[in-house]
Coordinates of all heavy atoms in Angstrom, one line a residue:
M46 N 2.6 25.3 7.4 CA 3.2 24.3 6.5 C 3.5 23.1 7.4 O 3.9 23.1 8.5 CB 4.6 24.8 6.0 CG 5.3 23.8 5.2 SD 6.8 24.4 4.4 CE 6.1 25.5 3.2
I47 N 3.2 21.9 6.8 CA 3.4 20.6 7.5 C 4.7 20.0 7.0 O 5.1 20.3 5.9 CB 2.2 19.6 7.3 CG1 2.0 19.2 5.9 CG2 1.0 20.2 7.9 CD1 1.0 18.1 5.7
T48 N 5.3 19.3 7.9 CA 6.6 18.6 7.5 C 6.3 17.1 7.4 O 5.7 16.5 8.3 CB 7.7 18.8 8.5 OG1 7.3 18.4 9.8 CG2 8.1 20.3 8.5
I49 N 6.7 16.5 6.3 CA 6.5 15.1 6.0 C 7.8 14.4 5.7 O 8.6 15.0 5.0 CB 5.5 14.9 4.8 CG1 4.2 15.7 5.1 CG2 5.3 13.5 4.5 CD1 3.3 15.8 3.8
V50 N 7.9 13.2 6.2 CA 9.1 12.4 5.9 C 8.6 11.1 5.2 O 7.7 10.4 5.8 CB 9.9 12.0 7.2 CG1 11.0 11.0 6.8 CG2 10.5 13.3 7.8
T51 N 9.1 10.8 4.1 CA 8.8 9.5 3.4 C 9.9 8.5 3.8 O 11.1 8.9 3.7 CB 8.7 9.7 1.9 OG1 9.9 10.2 1.4 CG2 7.5 10.6 1.6
A52 N 9.6 7.3 4.2 CA 10.6 6.4 4.7 C 10.6 5.1 3.9 O 9.5 4.5 3.6 CB 10.4 6.1 6.1
C53 N 11.8 4.5 3.6 CA 11.9 3.2 3.1 C 12.9 2.5 4.0 O 13.5 3.1 4.9 CB 12.3 3.2 1.6 SG 13.9 3.9 1.3
G54 N 13.1 1.2 3.7 CA 14.0 0.4 4.5 C 15.4 0.8 4.5 O 16.1 1.1 5.5
N55 N 16.0 0.7 3.3 CA 17.5 1.0 3.2 C 17.7 2.0 2.1 O 17.0 2.0 1.1 CB 18.2 -0.3 2.8 CG 18.1 -1.4 3.8 OD1 18.1 -1.1 5.0 ND2 18.0 -2.6 3.4
G56 N 18.7 2.8 2.3 CA 18.9 3.8 1.3 C 17.7 4.8 1.2 O 16.9 4.9 2.1
I57 N 17.6 5.5 0.1 CA 16.5 6.5 -0.1 C 15.9 6.4 -1.5 O 15.1 7.3 -1.8 CB 17.0 7.9 0.2 CG1 18.1 8.4 -0.7 CG2 17.3 8.1 1.7 CD1 18.4 9.8 -0.7
G58 N 16.2 5.4 -2.2 CA 15.6 5.3 -3.6 C 14.1 5.2 -3.6 O 13.4 6.1 -4.2
S59 N 13.5 4.3 -2.9 CA 12.0 4.2 -2.8 C 11.4 5.4 -2.2 O 10.4 5.9 -2.6 CB 11.6 2.9 -2.1 OG 12.1 1.8 -2.8
S60 N 12.0 5.9 -1.1 CA 11.4 7.0 -0.4 C 11.5 8.3 -1.2 O 10.7 9.2 -1.1 CB 12.1 7.2 1.0 OG 13.4 7.5 0.8
L61 N 12.5 8.4 -2.1 CA 12.6 9.5 -3.0 C 11.5 9.6 -4.0 O 10.9 10.6 -4.2 CB 14.0 9.6 -3.7 CG 14.3 10.8 -4.6 CD1 14.2 12.1 -3.8 CD2 15.7 10.6 -5.2
M62 N 11.2 8.4 -4.5 CA 10.0 8.3 -5.5 C 8.7 8.7 -4.8 O 7.9 9.5 -5.3 CB 9.9 6.9 -6.1 CG 11.0 6.6 -7.1 SD 10.8 5.0 -7.9 CE 11.4 3.9 -6.6
L63 N 8.6 8.2 -3.5 CA 7.4 8.5 -2.8 C 7.3 10.0 -2.4 O 6.3 10.6 -2.5 CB 7.3 7.6 -1.5 CG 6.1 7.8 -0.6 CD1 4.8 7.6 -1.3 CD2 6.3 6.9 0.6
K64 N 8.5 10.6 -2.1 CA 8.6 12.0 -1.8 C 8.0 12.8 -2.9 O 7.2 13.8 -2.7 CB 10.0 12.4 -1.5 CG 10.3 13.9 -1.4 CD 11.8 14.2 -1.4 CE 12.1 15.6 -1.3 NZ 11.8 16.5 -2.4
M65 N 8.4 12.5 -4.1 CA 8.0 13.3 -5.3 C 6.5 13.1 -5.5 O 5.8 14.1 -5.8 CB 8.7 12.8 -6.6 CG 10.2 13.2 -6.5 SD 11.1 12.9 -8.0 CE 11.1 11.1 -8.1
K66 N 5.9 11.9 -5.3 CA 4.5 11.8 -5.4 C 3.7 12.5 -4.3 O 2.7 13.1 -4.6 CB 4.1 10.3 -5.3 CG 4.7 9.4 -6.4 CD 4.3 9.8 -7.8 CE 4.9 8.9 -8.9 NZ 4.8 9.5 -10.2
I67 N 4.2 12.5 -3.1 CA 3.6 13.2 -2.0 C 3.6 14.7 -2.3 O 2.6 15.4 -2.0 CB 4.3 12.9 -0.6 CG1 4.0 11.4 -0.3 CG2 3.8 13.8 0.5 CD1 2.6 11.0 0.0
E68 N 4.7 15.2 -2.8 CA 4.8 16.7 -3.1 C 3.7 17.0 -4.2 O 3.1 18.1 -4.1 CB 6.2 17.0 -3.7 CG 7.2 17.1 -2.6 CD 8.6 17.2 -3.1 OE1 8.9 16.8 -4.3 OE2 9.5 17.8 -2.4
E69 N 3.6 16.2 -5.2 CA 2.5 16.4 -6.2 C 1.1 16.4 -5.6 O 0.3 17.3 -5.9 CB 2.6 15.3 -7.3 CG 3.9 15.4 -8.2 CD 4.0 14.2 -9.1 OE1 2.9 13.5 -9.4 OE2 5.1 14.0 -9.6
I70 N 0.9 15.5 -4.8 CA -0.4 15.3 -4.1 C -0.7 16.5 -3.2 O -1.8 17.1 -3.3 CB -0.5 14.0 -3.4 CG1 -0.5 12.8 -4.4 CG2 -1.8 14.0 -2.5 CD1 -0.3 11.5 -3.7
C71 N 0.2 16.9 -2.4 CA 0.1 18.1 -1.6 C -0.2 19.4 -2.4 O -1.1 20.1 -2.1 CB 1.3 18.3 -0.7 SG 1.4 17.2 0.6
A72 N 0.5 19.5 -3.5 CA 0.2 20.7 -4.4 C -1.2 20.6 -5.0 O -1.9 21.6 -5.0 CB 1.3 20.7 -5.5
E73 N -1.6 19.4 -5.4 CA -3.0 19.3 -5.9 C -4.0 19.6 -4.9 O -5.1 20.2 -5.2 CB -3.2 17.9 -6.4 CG -2.4 17.5 -7.7 CD -2.5 16.0 -8.0 OE1 -3.3 15.3 -7.4 OE2 -1.8 15.6 -8.9
L74 N -3.8 19.3 -3.6 CA -4.7 19.5 -2.6 C -4.6 20.9 -1.9 O -5.4 21.3 -1.0 CB -4.5 18.4 -1.5 CG -4.8 17.0 -1.9 CD1 -4.4 16.0 -0.8 CD2 -6.3 16.8 -2.3
G75 N -3.6 21.7 -2.4 CA -3.4 23.0 -1.8 C -2.8 23.0 -0.4 O -3.1 23.9 0.4
I76 N -2.1 21.9 -0.1 CA -1.5 21.8 1.3 C 0.0 22.1 1.2 O 0.8 21.5 0.6 CB -1.7 20.3 1.8 CG1 -3.2 20.0 1.9 CG2 -0.9 20.1 3.1 CD1 -3.4 18.5 2.3
P77 N 0.4 23.2 1.9 CA 1.8 23.6 1.9 C 2.5 22.6 2.8 O 2.2 22.3 3.9 CB 1.8 25.0 2.6 CG 0.5 25.2 3.1 CD -0.5 24.2 2.6
A78 N 3.6 22.0 2.2 CA 4.3 20.9 2.9 C 5.8 20.9 2.5 O 6.1 21.2 1.3 CB 3.7 19.6 2.5
Q79 N 6.6 20.6 3.5 CA 8.0 20.4 3.2 C 8.2 18.8 3.3 O 7.9 18.3 4.4 CB 8.8 21.1 4.3 CG 10.3 20.8 4.2 CD 11.1 21.4 5.3 OE1 10.7 22.3 5.9 NE2 12.3 20.9 5.4
V80 N 8.6 18.2 2.3 CA 8.7 16.8 2.2 C 10.2 16.3 2.1 O 10.9 16.9 1.2 CB 7.9 16.2 1.1 CG1 7.8 14.7 1.1 CG2 6.4 16.7 1.1
E81 N 10.6 15.4 2.9 CA 11.9 14.9 2.9 C 11.9 13.4 2.7 O 10.9 12.7 3.2 CB 12.7 15.2 4.2 CG 12.9 16.7 4.4 CD 13.5 17.0 5.7 OE1 14.2 16.1 6.3 OE2 13.4 18.1 6.2
S82 N 12.8 12.8 2.1 CA 12.9 11.3 2.0 C 14.0 10.9 3.0 O 15.0 11.6 3.2 CB 13.2 10.9 0.6 OG 14.5 11.4 0.1
S83 N 13.8 9.7 3.5 CA 14.8 9.2 4.5 C 14.7 7.6 4.5 O 13.8 7.0 4.1 CB 14.4 9.7 5.9 OG 15.3 9.2 6.8
D84 N 15.8 7.1 5.1 CA 15.7 5.6 5.4 C 15.0 5.5 6.7 O 14.6 6.5 7.4 CB 17.1 5.0 5.4 CG 18.0 5.6 6.5 OD1 17.5 6.4 7.4 OD2 19.2 5.2 6.5
F85 N 14.8 4.3 7.1 CA 14.0 4.0 8.3 C 14.6 4.7 9.6 O 13.9 5.3 10.3 CB 13.9 2.5 8.6 CG 13.2 2.2 9.9 CD1 11.8 2.3 10.0 CD2 14.0 1.7 11.0 CE1 11.2 2.0 11.2 CE2 13.4 1.4 12.2 CZ 12.0 1.6 12.3
N86 N 15.9 4.5 9.8 CA 16.5 5.1 11.0 C 16.4 6.6 11.1 O 16.2 7.2 12.1 CB 18.0 4.6 11.1 CG 18.0 3.1 11.5 OD1 17.2 2.6 12.2 ND2 19.0 2.4 11.0
G87 N 16.6 7.2 9.9 CA 16.5 8.7 9.9 C 15.1 9.2 10.2 O 14.9 10.1 10.9
A88 N 14.2 8.5 9.6 CA 12.8 8.8 9.8 C 12.4 8.6 11.3 O 11.6 9.4 11.8 CB 11.8 8.0 8.9
K89 N 12.9 7.6 11.9 CA 12.5 7.3 13.3 C 13.0 8.4 14.2 O 12.3 8.7 15.2 CB 13.2 5.9 13.7 CG 12.5 5.3 14.9 CD 13.0 3.9 15.0 CE 12.2 3.3 16.2 NZ 12.4 1.9 16.4
G90 N 14.1 9.0 13.9 CA 14.6 10.1 14.7 C 14.1 11.5 14.3 O 14.5 12.5 14.9
S91 N 13.3 11.6 13.3 CA 12.9 12.9 12.8 C 11.8 13.6 13.6 O 11.0 12.9 14.1 CB 12.6 12.8 11.3 OG 11.3 12.3 11.2
N92 N 11.8 14.9 13.6 CA 10.8 15.7 14.2 C 9.9 16.2 13.1 O 10.2 17.2 12.4 CB 11.4 16.8 15.0 CG 10.3 17.6 15.7 OD1 9.2 17.2 15.9 ND2 10.7 18.8 16.1
C93 N 8.8 15.5 12.8 CA 8.0 15.9 11.6 C 6.5 15.7 12.0 O 6.2 15.1 13.1 CB 8.3 15.0 10.4 SG 8.0 13.3 10.7
D94 N 5.6 16.2 11.2 CA 4.2 16.1 11.4 C 3.7 14.7 11.0 O 2.7 14.2 11.6 CB 3.4 17.2 10.7 CG 3.8 18.6 11.2 OD1 3.8 18.8 12.4 OD2 4.2 19.4 10.4
L95 N 4.3 14.1 10.0 CA 3.8 12.9 9.4 C 4.9 12.1 8.8 O 5.7 12.7 8.1 CB 2.7 13.2 8.4 CG 2.0 12.1 7.7 CD1 1.2 11.2 8.6 CD2 1.1 12.6 6.5
I96 N 4.9 10.8 9.0 CA 5.7 9.9 8.3 C 4.9 9.0 7.4 O 3.8 8.5 7.8 CB 6.5 8.9 9.3 CG1 7.4 9.7 10.2 CG2 7.2 7.8 8.5 CD1 8.0 8.9 11.3
V97 N 5.3 8.9 6.1 CA 4.6 8.1 5.1 C 5.5 7.0 4.7 O 6.6 7.2 4.3 CB 4.2 9.0 3.9 CG1 3.4 8.1 2.9 CG2 3.3 10.2 4.3
T98 N 4.9 5.8 4.8 CA 5.7 4.6 4.5 C 4.8 3.4 4.2 O 3.6 3.5 4.3 CB 6.7 4.2 5.7 OG1 7.7 3.3 5.3 CG2 6.0 3.8 7.0
I99 N 5.4 2.2 4.0 CA 4.7 1.0 3.7 C 4.4 0.3 5.0 O 5.0 0.6 6.1 CB 5.4 0.1 2.8 CG1 6.8 -0.3 3.3 CG2 5.5 0.7 1.4 CD1 7.5 -1.4 2.5
D100 N 3.4 -0.6 5.0 CA 2.9 -1.3 6.2 C 4.0 -2.0 7.0 O 4.1 -1.9 8.2 CB 1.9 -2.3 5.8 CG 1.1 -2.9 7.0 OD1 0.7 -2.1 7.9 OD2 1.0 -4.1 7.1
E101 N 4.9 -2.7 6.3 CA 6.0 -3.4 7.0 C 6.8 -2.5 7.9 O 7.2 -2.9 9.0 CB 6.9 -4.1 6.0 CG 6.2 -5.2 5.2 CD 5.5 -4.7 4.0 OE1 5.9 -3.7 3.4 OE2 4.4 -5.3 3.7
L102 N 7.1 -1.3 7.5 CA 7.9 -0.4 8.2 C 7.0 0.4 9.3 O 7.5 0.7 10.4 CB 8.6 0.6 7.3 CG 9.7 0.1 6.4 CD1 10.3 1.1 5.6 CD2 10.8 -0.6 7.3
A103 N 5.8 0.7 8.9 CA 4.9 1.4 9.8 C 4.8 0.8 11.2 O 4.8 1.4 12.2 CB 3.6 1.6 9.2
K104 N 4.8 -0.5 11.2 CA 4.6 -1.3 12.4 C 5.8 -1.1 13.4 O 5.7 -1.4 14.6 CB 4.5 -2.8 12.1 CG 3.2 -3.1 11.3 CD 3.2 -4.5 10.9 CE 1.9 -4.8 10.0 NZ 1.9 -6.1 9.5
Q105 N 7.0 -0.7 12.8 CA 8.2 -0.5 13.6 C 8.3 0.9 14.2 O 9.2 1.1 15.0 CB 9.4 -0.8 12.8 CG 9.4 -2.3 12.3 CD 10.6 -2.6 11.4 OE1 11.7 -2.2 11.7 NE2 10.3 -3.1 10.2
F106 N 7.5 1.8 13.8 CA 7.5 3.2 14.4 C 6.7 3.2 15.7 O 5.7 2.5 15.8 CB 6.9 4.2 13.4 CG 7.9 4.5 12.3 CD1 7.7 4.0 11.0 CD2 8.9 5.4 12.5 CE1 8.5 4.3 10.0 CE2 9.8 5.7 11.4 CZ 9.6 5.2 10.2
D107 N 7.1 4.1 16.6 CA 6.3 4.3 17.8 C 5.2 5.3 17.4 O 5.4 6.5 17.4 CB 7.2 5.0 18.9 CG 6.4 5.3 20.2 OD1 5.2 5.0 20.2 OD2 7.1 5.8 21.1
Q108 N 4.0 4.7 17.2 CA 2.9 5.5 16.7 C 2.3 6.4 17.7 O 1.4 7.2 17.4 CB 1.9 4.7 15.9 CG 2.6 4.1 14.7 CD 1.6 3.4 13.7 OE1 0.5 3.8 13.6 NE2 2.1 2.5 12.9
T109 N 2.7 6.3 19.0 CA 2.2 7.2 20.0 C 3.0 8.5 20.0 O 2.6 9.5 20.4 CB 2.3 6.5 21.4 OG1 3.6 6.2 21.7 CG2 1.4 5.3 21.5
A110 N 4.3 8.4 19.4 CA 5.2 9.5 19.4 C 5.2 10.2 18.0 O 5.4 11.4 17.9 CB 6.6 9.1 19.8
Q111 N 4.9 9.4 17.0 CA 4.9 9.9 15.6 C 3.7 9.5 14.8 O 3.3 8.4 14.9 CB 6.2 9.4 14.9 CG 7.5 10.0 15.4 CD 8.7 9.3 14.7 OE1 8.9 8.1 14.7 NE2 9.5 10.2 14.1
R112 N 3.1 10.4 14.1 CA 2.0 10.1 13.2 C 2.5 9.4 12.0 O 3.4 9.9 11.3 CB 1.3 11.4 12.8 CG 0.0 11.2 12.0 CD -1.1 10.7 12.8 NE -2.3 10.4 12.0 CZ -3.3 11.2 11.7 NH1 -3.4 12.3 12.3 NH2 -4.3 10.7 11.0
V113 N 2.0 8.2 11.7 CA 2.4 7.4 10.5 C 1.2 7.1 9.6 O 0.2 6.7 10.1 CB 3.1 6.1 11.0 CG1 3.5 5.3 9.8 CG2 4.2 6.4 12.0
C114 N 1.4 7.3 8.3 CA 0.4 6.9 7.3 C 1.0 5.8 6.4 O 2.1 5.9 6.0 CB 0.1 8.2 6.5 SG -1.2 7.9 5.3
V115 N 0.2 4.8 6.2 CA 0.6 3.7 5.4 C 0.1 3.8 4.0 O -1.0 4.1 3.8 CB 0.1 2.4 6.1 CG1 0.4 1.2 5.2 CG2 0.6 2.2 7.5
V116 N 1.1 3.6 3.1 CA 0.7 3.5 1.6 C 0.9 2.1 1.1 O 1.8 1.4 1.6 CB 1.5 4.6 0.8 CG1 1.1 6.0 1.2 CG2 3.0 4.4 1.0
R117 N 0.2 1.8 0.0 CA 0.3 0.5 -0.6 C 1.4 0.5 -1.7 O 1.8 -0.6 -2.1 CB -1.0 0.1 -1.2 CG -2.1 -0.1 -0.2 CD -3.4 -0.3 -0.9 NE -3.9 1.0 -1.3 CZ -4.9 1.2 -2.2 NH1 -5.5 0.2 -2.7 NH2 -5.3 2.5 -2.5
S118 N 1.9 1.6 -2.1 CA 2.9 1.7 -3.2 C 3.8 2.9 -3.0 O 3.4 3.9 -2.4 CB 2.1 1.8 -4.5 OG 3.0 2.1 -5.5
Y119 N 5.0 2.7 -3.4 CA 5.9 3.9 -3.4 C 5.8 4.7 -4.7 O 6.2 5.8 -4.7 CB 7.4 3.4 -3.3 CG 7.9 3.0 -2.0 CD1 8.3 1.7 -1.7 CD2 7.9 3.8 -0.9 CE1 8.7 1.3 -0.5 CE2 8.3 3.5 0.3 CZ 8.8 2.2 0.5 OH 9.2 1.8 1.8
I120 N 5.2 4.1 -5.8 CA 5.2 4.8 -7.0 C 3.8 5.0 -7.7 O 3.7 5.9 -8.6 CB 6.1 4.1 -8.0 CG1 5.7 2.7 -8.2 CG2 7.6 4.2 -7.6 CD1 6.5 1.9 -9.3
N121 N 2.8 4.3 -7.3 CA 1.5 4.4 -7.9 C 0.8 5.6 -7.3 O 0.2 5.5 -6.2 CB 0.7 3.1 -7.8 CG -0.6 3.2 -8.5 OD1 -1.4 4.1 -8.4 ND2 -0.9 2.1 -9.2
K122 N 0.7 6.7 -8.0 CA 0.2 8.0 -7.5 C -1.3 7.8 -7.1 O -1.7 8.4 -6.1 CB 0.4 9.1 -8.5 CG -0.1 10.4 -7.9 CD 0.2 11.5 -8.9 CE -0.4 12.8 -8.5 NZ -0.2 13.9 -9.5
K123 N -2.1 7.1 -7.9 CA -3.5 6.9 -7.6 C -3.7 6.2 -6.2 O -4.5 6.7 -5.4 CB -4.2 6.2 -8.7 CG -5.7 6.1 -8.6 CD -6.3 5.4 -9.8 CE -7.8 5.4 -9.7 NZ -8.4 4.8 -10.9
K124 N -2.9 5.2 -6.0 CA -3.0 4.4 -4.7 C -2.5 5.3 -3.6 O -3.1 5.3 -2.5 CB -2.2 3.1 -4.8 CG -2.9 2.1 -5.7 CD -2.1 0.8 -5.6 CE -2.7 -0.3 -6.5 NZ -1.9 -1.5 -6.5
I125 N -1.4 6.0 -3.8 CA -0.8 6.8 -2.8 C -1.8 7.9 -2.3 O -2.1 8.1 -1.1 CB 0.5 7.4 -3.2 CG1 1.6 6.3 -3.5 CG2 1.0 8.4 -2.2 CD1 2.8 6.8 -4.2
K126 N -2.4 8.5 -3.3 CA -3.4 9.6 -3.0 C -4.6 9.1 -2.2 O -5.0 9.7 -1.3 CB -3.8 10.3 -4.3 CG -4.7 11.5 -4.0 CD -5.0 12.3 -5.3 CE -5.7 13.6 -5.0 NZ -6.0 14.4 -6.2
A127 N -5.1 7.9 -2.6 CA -6.2 7.3 -1.9 C -5.8 7.0 -0.5 O -6.6 7.1 0.4 CB -6.6 6.0 -2.6
D128 N -4.5 6.6 -0.3 CA -4.1 6.2 1.1 C -3.8 7.4 2.0 O -4.0 7.3 3.2 CB -2.8 5.4 1.0 CG -3.1 4.0 0.3 OD1 -4.2 3.5 0.3 OD2 -2.1 3.4 -0.2
V129 N -3.3 8.5 1.4 CA -2.9 9.7 2.2 C -3.8 10.9 2.3 O -3.6 11.7 3.2 CB -1.4 10.1 1.8 CG1 -0.5 9.0 1.9 CG2 -1.4 10.7 0.4
Q130 N -4.7 11.0 1.3 CA -5.4 12.3 1.2 C -6.1 12.7 2.5 O -6.0 13.8 3.0 CB -6.4 12.2 0.1 CG -7.2 13.5 -0.1 CD -8.1 13.6 -1.4 OE1 -7.9 12.7 -2.2 NE2 -8.9 14.5 -1.5
E131 N -6.9 11.8 3.1 CA -7.6 12.1 4.3 C -6.6 12.5 5.5 O -6.9 13.5 6.2 CB -8.5 10.9 4.7 CG -9.4 11.2 5.9 CD -10.3 10.1 6.2 OE1 -10.8 9.4 5.3 OE2 -10.5 9.8 7.4
V132 N -5.6 11.8 5.6 CA -4.6 12.1 6.7 C -3.9 13.4 6.4 O -3.7 14.2 7.3 CB -3.6 10.9 6.8 CG1 -2.5 11.3 7.8 CG2 -4.3 9.6 7.2
L133 N -3.5 13.7 5.2 CA -2.9 14.9 4.9 C -3.8 16.1 5.2 O -3.3 17.1 5.8 CB -2.5 15.0 3.4 CG -1.3 14.2 2.9 CD1 -1.2 14.3 1.4 CD2 0.0 14.7 3.5
Q134 N -5.0 16.0 4.8 CA -6.0 17.1 5.1 C -6.2 17.3 6.6 O -6.3 18.4 7.1 CB -7.3 16.8 4.4 CG -7.1 17.0 2.9 CD -8.3 16.5 2.1 OE1 -9.0 15.6 2.4 NE2 -8.6 17.2 1.0
E135 N -6.2 16.2 7.4 CA -6.4 16.2 8.8 C -5.2 16.9 9.5 O -5.3 17.8 10.3 CB -6.6 14.8 9.4 CG -6.7 14.8 10.9 CD -6.8 13.4 11.4 OE1 -7.3 12.5 10.7 OE2 -6.3 13.2 12.5
V136 N -4.0 16.4 9.1 CA -2.7 17.0 9.7 C -2.6 18.5 9.3 O -2.3 19.3 10.2 CB -1.5 16.2 9.2 CG1 -0.2 16.9 9.6 CG2 -1.5 14.8 9.7
A137 N -2.9 18.8 8.1 CA -2.9 20.2 7.7 C -3.9 21.1 8.5 O -3.5 22.2 8.9 CB -3.1 20.4 6.2
S138 N -5.1 20.6 8.7 CA -6.1 21.4 9.4 C -5.7 21.5 10.9 O -6.0 22.6 11.5 CB -7.5 20.8 9.2 OG -7.6 19.6 9.9
N139 N -5.1 20.5 11.4 CA -4.6 20.6 12.8 C -3.4 21.5 13.0 O -3.2 22.0 14.1 CB -4.3 19.2 13.4 CG -5.5 18.3 13.6 OD1 -6.6 18.8 13.7 ND2 -5.2 17.0 13.6
K140 N -2.7 21.8 11.9 CA -1.5 22.6 12.0 C -1.9 24.1 11.9 O -1.1 25.0 12.3 CB -0.6 22.2 10.8 CG 0.8 22.8 10.9 CD 1.6 22.1 11.9 CE 3.1 22.6 11.8 NZ 4.0 21.9 12.6
K141 N -3.1 24.4 11.5 CA -3.5 25.8 11.3 C -3.7 26.5 12.6 O -4.0 26.0 13.6 CB -4.8 25.9 10.5 CG -4.5 25.6 9.0 CD -5.8 25.7 8.3 CE -5.6 25.3 6.8 NZ -6.7 25.4 6.0

């Protein structure tokens, strides 16, 4: 099982919507995942396999310490899936 954190800037509203979409996508792809939503600071300190966020926030993570995947939308499932599918499959295969 992989652990994923969805991150937004403040609060957890946007990241909660993204969390639900990521859960749906993982289920469709048959990837067992535990997905949590978080604000930026919480995500920065989390111990997870993958952080999913938007470009503006992704630039602020230490990408040598944490794997970060950039999405173009918090709510458009089609765009999110296009952005994360390859990374999700790679992370899941490396976890086996």
